[in-house]
């Protein structure tokens, strides 16, 4: 009954908004505001309640809210929100991409669902070499950049195991947003502008995302995606089989073949989401649960926490914020040196267990000097453009104790820029997360070793780091995750450290200025106003404050970055669950 009432109002809101604009035209459509009228009345950045969610887009957060209203759990809410994000935030994630999903169930079980794309069977180490030289552009744009899309297989696996509402009902908000449109915000506008030229090379990408004269739609104009709505309806009705073995796979292969693609129907048909064993580490009386390979996030967050546990982090922060950030940067440098050397798909290479051994971390930590930045860091052995935003992270948790941390991506903005005509699906460029040649950096400046080399049916290394922190008795305390390539790992680390060591609420932790160090290049990226101190501007717009001045004196090359990752999180507090979205973007937290 409640569901019928609710849907009628939602439809009315959308119908009213549809009168105002047409596809990519007309005046500002207030779809978002209309949908907000149907959602909770929380302020946008944080929400406290029994059932909560935080995503980067209000329409997706409202989808989670509606799912709770319909009696769904946190898994249902995460699926509905993820599907919506593929419509209203499609430059970051969607049906053409993949995701990693970490779930803590009400019974205390942990599920790590690997929905990472896989390389086509015809992929090879030499596929991006031309005249013997690597051509990075080929792994980033166009038909060869795409690995088998995997998000929908992961969402279905999660739903089959833990969902409570009907699969098809979870698609309703996404279908409505695709069919009736949404008002383009600054994120979509910027993403289209930055890739306008590449998008205009592919007929459907151009037709859907650009105006007929090839210009970029303005903020506030309406983007309708009827083909994507049809695709969503088909997957809602027929399940992932329609995508992997039916009409979608056929249309995708036929189109990619025109551009010398190597994906085949067998590649699509063979795709499987895999349930993996999560990485568990202990940190100051808590269990930190992270995502294992092919993600590098869980392993390196565990490794860095193990290093940090040998320091009195809270005391260091109180005495000197510069020393705090210096310590973080030194841990990051060592972890990323190991990432570049050791990490790859664990189904293909041995990812050494010593990386998460506290004894190994203690050895690395002993090398760290608090009065000097280290140089010449190499990967360890068992011994014994950084401003761009990609990907999306969402968090849900419910009154029963189900928690979901879900990071989803098409890789860089609009993936490989190829939309399959008639489907609205934009394909990923996840092949670029492999090491396309030794020492050649990918779009994130990351280098890798043979462990992350391309191979048929292998999954590329990821930095996605959905994480859940439990107290030692298993009670969920915190969930964290972020978007932003390798910056995800370090942003998630900082949010965990701020909540646990500095006792900050998750919204404060997320809002605080961050640092990022990824070994190569040997630079500490930092956001403005690091340490909460005003950063005066010099003629380059990059003045120093007291903290950055001290970091520079310690020997760190510095570079200011307007935004280092976009994080969402949930924390258990005395009044209930606190959901927080990142003030660096225009997201929304909801509670019911
Ligand atoms: N595509 C970004 C990542 O998975 O790290």
């Amino acid at each position: 009954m409640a569901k019928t009432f609710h849907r009628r109002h939602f439809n009315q809101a959308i119908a009213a908004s549809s009168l105002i604009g047409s596809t990519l035209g007309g005046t500002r459509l207030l779809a978002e505001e209309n949908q907000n009228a149907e959602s909770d009345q929380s302020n946008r950045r944080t929400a406290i309640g029994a059932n909560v969610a935080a995503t980067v887009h209000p329409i997706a957060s409202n989808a989670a809210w509606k799912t709770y209203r319909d009696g769904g759990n946190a898994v249902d809410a995460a699926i509905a929100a993820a599907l919506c994000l593929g419509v209203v935030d499609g430059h970051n994630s969607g049906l053409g991409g993949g995701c990693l999903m970490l779930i803590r169930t009400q019974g205390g079980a942990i599920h790590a669902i690997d929905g990472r794309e896989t390389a086509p069977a015809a992929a090879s180490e030499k596929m991006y070499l031309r005249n013997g030289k690597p051509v990075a552009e080929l792994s980033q744009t166009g038909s060869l950049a795409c690995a088998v899309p995997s998000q929908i297989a992961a969402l279905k696996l999660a739903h089959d195991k833990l969902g409570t509402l009907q699969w098809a009902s979870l698609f309703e908000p996404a279908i409505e947003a695709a069919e009736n449109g949404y008002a383009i915000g600054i994120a979509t506008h910027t993403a289209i502008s930055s890739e306008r030229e590449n998008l205009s090379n592919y007929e459907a990408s151009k037709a859907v995302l650009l105006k007929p004269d090839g210009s970029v739609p303005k903020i506030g104009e309406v983007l309708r995606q009827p083909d994507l709505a049809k695709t969503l309806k088909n997957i809602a009705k027929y399940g992932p089989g329609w995508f992997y073995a039916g009409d979608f796979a056929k249309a995708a292969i036929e189109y990619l073949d025109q551009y010398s693609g190597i994906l085949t129907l067998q590649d699509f048909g063979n795709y499987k989401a895999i349930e993996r064993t999560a990485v568990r580490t202990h940190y100051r009386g808590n269990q930190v649960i992270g995502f294992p390979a092919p993600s590098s996030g869980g392993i390196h967050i565990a490794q860095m926490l193990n290093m940090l546990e040998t320091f009195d982090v809270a005391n260091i922060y109180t005495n000197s914020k510069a020393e705090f950030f210096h310590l973080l940067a030194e841990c990051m440098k060592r972890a990323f040196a190991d990432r570049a050397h050791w990490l790859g798909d664990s189904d293909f290479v041995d990812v050494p267990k010593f990386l998460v051994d506290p004894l190994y971390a203690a050895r690395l930590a002993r090398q760290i000097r608090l009065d000097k930045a280290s140089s010449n860091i190499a990967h360890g052995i068992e011994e014994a453009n950084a401003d761009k935003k990609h990907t999306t992270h969402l968090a849900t948790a419910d009154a029963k104790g189900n928690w979901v941390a879900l990071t989803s991506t098409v890789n860089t903005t609009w993936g490989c820029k190829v939309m399959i005509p008639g489907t609205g699906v934009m394909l990923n460029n996840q092949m670029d997360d492999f090491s396309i040649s030794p020492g050649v950096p990918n779009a994130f400046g990351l280098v890798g070793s043979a462990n992350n080399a391309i191979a048929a049916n292998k999954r590329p290394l990821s930095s996605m780091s959905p994480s859940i922190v439990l107290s030692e008795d298993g009670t969920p305390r915190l969930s964290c995750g972020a978007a932003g390539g390798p910056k995800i790992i370090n942003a998630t680390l900082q949010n965990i450290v701020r909540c646990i060591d500095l006792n900050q609420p998750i919204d404060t932790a997320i809002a605080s200025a961050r640092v990022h160090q990824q070994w190569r290049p040997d630079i500490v990226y930092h956001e403005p106003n690091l340490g909460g101190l005003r950063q005066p501007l010099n003629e380059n717009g990059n003045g120093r404050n007291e903290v950055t001045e001290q970091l520079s004196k310690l020997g760190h090359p510095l570079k200011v970055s307007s935004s280092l990752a976009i994080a969402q999180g949930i924390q258990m507090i005395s009044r209930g669950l606190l959901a927080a979205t990142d003030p660096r973007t225009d997201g929304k937290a909801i509670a019911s």
Side-chain angles (χ1 to χ4, degrees):
M1 197 63 190
K3 183 171 174 178
T4 315
F5 173 80
H6 179 67
R7 291 218 50 75
R8 195 178 67 238
H9 282 261
F10 183 52
N11 288 334
Q12 281 169 357
I14 288 291
S17 66
S18 303
L19 296 175
I20 306 171
S22 59
T23 304
L24 280 187
T27 51
R28 179 171 161 70
L29 173 76
L30 301 181
E32 181 180 308
E33 286 81 349
N34 284 332
Q35 292 195 21
N36 286 350
E38 268 285 297
S39 78
D40 76 318
Q41 295 303 305
S42 66
N43 75 29
R44 291 169 64 110
R45 298 275 172 240
T46 60
I48 298 176
N51 305 294
V52 293
T55 83
V56 297
H57 201 290
I59 292 176
S61 298
N62 291 348
W65 182 84
K66 288 169 179 49
T67 308
Y68 288 134
R69 281 283 302 266
D70 292 346
N73 65 13
V75 176
D76 298 314
I79 295 169
L83 291 168
C84 248
L85 285 171
V87 177
V88 299
D89 192 56
H91 55 287
N92 281 320
S93 71
L95 299 174
C99 66
L100 303 180
M101 202 168 180
L102 188 65
I103 305 171
R104 186 265 181 197
T105 69
Q106 60 194 76
I110 298 291
H111 296 268
I113 295 180
D114 167 4
R116 184 71 166 160
E117 297 87 335
T118 56
S124 73
E125 269 193 72
K126 296 200 164 64
M127 68 185 278
Y128 299 122
L129 301 188
R130 296 293 178 269
N131 300 321
K133 294 209 175 84
V135 181
E137 177 62 13
L138 292 174
S139 67
Q140 293 172 12
T141 308
S143 59
L144 283 182
C146 178
V148 185
S150 43
Q151 187 200 51
I152 204 69
L155 298 183
K156 186 68 165 69
L157 180 59
H159 184 261
D160 286 349
K161 281 180 177 283
L162 301 161
T164 56
L165 294 185
Q166 285 192 358
W167 169 248
S169 73
L170 304 179
F171 285 68
E172 289 168 6
I175 291 168
E176 295 209 22
E179 229 161 33
N180 296 312
Y182 72 101
I184 289 179
I186 188 156
T188 306
H189 176 77
T190 309
I192 297 176
S193 301
S194 67
E195 295 295 344
R196 194 183 67 81
E197 214 173 301
N198 282 324
L199 293 169
S200 63
N201 289 331
Y202 302 98
E203 62 193 84
S205 313
K206 184 176 168 188
V208 172
L209 296 171
L210 299 175
K211 302 228 267 197
D213 67 357
S215 63
V216 177
K218 294 192 179 59
I219 292 173
E221 286 189 80
V222 180
L223 177 57
R224 292 201 177 89
Q225 301 170 82
D227 286 341
L228 183 54
K230 269 191 272 164
T231 293
L232 287 161
K233 281 181 192 170
N234 280 316
I235 302 173
K237 190 166 174 189
Y238 302 113
W242 181 88
F243 188 87
Y244 287 106
D247 290 355
F248 178 78
K250 287 183 203 134
I253 299 309
E254 201 173 300
Y255 189 66
L256 291 172
D257 277 353
Q258 294 174 32
Y259 292 90
S260 312
I262 59 170
L263 276 165
T264 63
L265 281 176
Q266 285 73 22
D267 290 326
F268 271 82
N270 288 341
Y271 187 81
K272 292 215 168 12
I274 299 173
E275 191 154 3
R276 301 203 181 265
T277 306
V279 177
R280 266 177 211 260
T281 195
H282 296 267
Y283 186 63
R284 302 200 203 283
N286 298 280
Q287 298 179 58
V288 179
I289 315 293
F291 212 95
S295 172
S296 56
I299 290 168
H300 294 303
I301 288 170
Q303 180 186 12
M304 290 189 281
L305 289 173
N306 285 339
M307 284 187 241
L308 289 169
E309 192 150 39
T310 68
F311 294 88
D312 185 348
V313 174
N315 201 28
I316 289 172
Y317 180 81
T318 307
N319 291 336
S320 163
K321 292 194 172 60
E323 211 164 86
F324 169 73
F325 291 115
H326 162 73
L327 173 60
L328 290 175
E330 289 294 306
C331 294
M332 292 170 185
K333 207 185 283 183
R334 285 161 176 80
F336 273 82
D338 277 343
R339 182 191 190 279
H341 184 77
W342 290 114
L343 267 280
D345 183 348
S346 57
D347 289 343
F348 284 71
V349 296
D350 281 335
V351 176
K353 293 204 174 29
F354 76 81
L355 292 173
V356 294
D357 184 336
L359 290 176
Y360 172 64
R363 181 154 63 81
L364 295 184
R366 280 197 297 276
Q367 300 165 358
I368 296 175
R369 285 177 53 172
L370 289 177
D371 62 346
K372 194 172 184 295
S374 51
S375 53
N376 300 324
I377 296 297
H379 65 83
I381 49 170
E382 187 164 20
E383 194 170 285
N385 171 354
D387 271 4
K388 284 199 172 176
K389 303 177 190 77
H390 313 280
T391 309
T392 190
H393 179 76
L394 71 87
T396 61
D398 65 33
K400 295 198 173 96
N402 298 296
W403 288 50
V404 181
L406 193 166
T407 314
S408 194
T409 188
V410 291
N411 198 22
T412 61
T413 305
W414 302 114
C416 70
K417 328 309 173 215
V418 180
M419 185 182 281
I420 302 302
T423 71
V425 176
M426 183 67 84
L427 296 175
N428 68 81
N429 59 349
Q430 224 66 252
M431 291 297 286
D432 191 57
D433 273 348
F434 282 115
S435 165
I436 67 161
S437 201
V440 175
N442 73 358
F444 301 108
L446 292 166
V447 290
S449 70
N451 278 10
N452 190 33
I454 302 168
N457 306 317
K458 188 174 172 184
R459 297 184 184 207
L461 191 57
S462 174
S463 296
M464 294 190 285
S465 310
S467 306
I468 295 177
V469 179
L470 313 173
S471 56
E472 286 298 357
D473 70 5
T475 311
R477 286 192 61 187
L478 183 67
S479 95
C480 294
K487 300 185 290 292
I488 294 172
I489 298 174
N490 292 335
T492 305
L493 172 81
Q494 287 167 85
N495 289 335
I496 293 173
V497 166
R498 283 182 176 276
C499 289
I500 293 181
D501 290 278
L502 310 185
N503 218 11
Q504 292 179 346
I506 184 67
D507 53 321
T508 305
I510 286 175
S512 301
R514 304 183 182 119
V515 291
H516 174 71
Q517 219 300 356
Q518 61 177 49
W519 180 58
R520 294 286 182 271
D522 183 8
I523 290 172
V524 173
Y525 297 92
H526 67 89
E527 292 178 323
N529 305 332
L530 194 64
L533 298 180
R534 202 179 69 79
Q535 180 181 355
L537 296 181
N538 66 9
E539 64 280 10
N540 306 319
N542 184 17
R544 297 264 159 90
N545 68 15
E546 205 180 295
V547 173
T548 49
E549 198 58 57
Q550 284 178 48
L551 282 172
S552 175
K553 284 192 185 135
L554 286 165
H556 294 286
L558 297 178
K559 199 162 179 186
V560 73
S561 175
S562 60
S563 165
L564 292 173
I566 303 291
Q568 267 61 240
I570 293 174
Q571 188 175 28
M572 175 78 81
I573 60 171
S574 56
R575 289 156 59 207
L577 296 169
L578 165 64
T581 186
D582 200 315
R584 292 164 186 79
T585 192
D586 203 16
K588 186 178 183 193
I590 61 96
S592 75

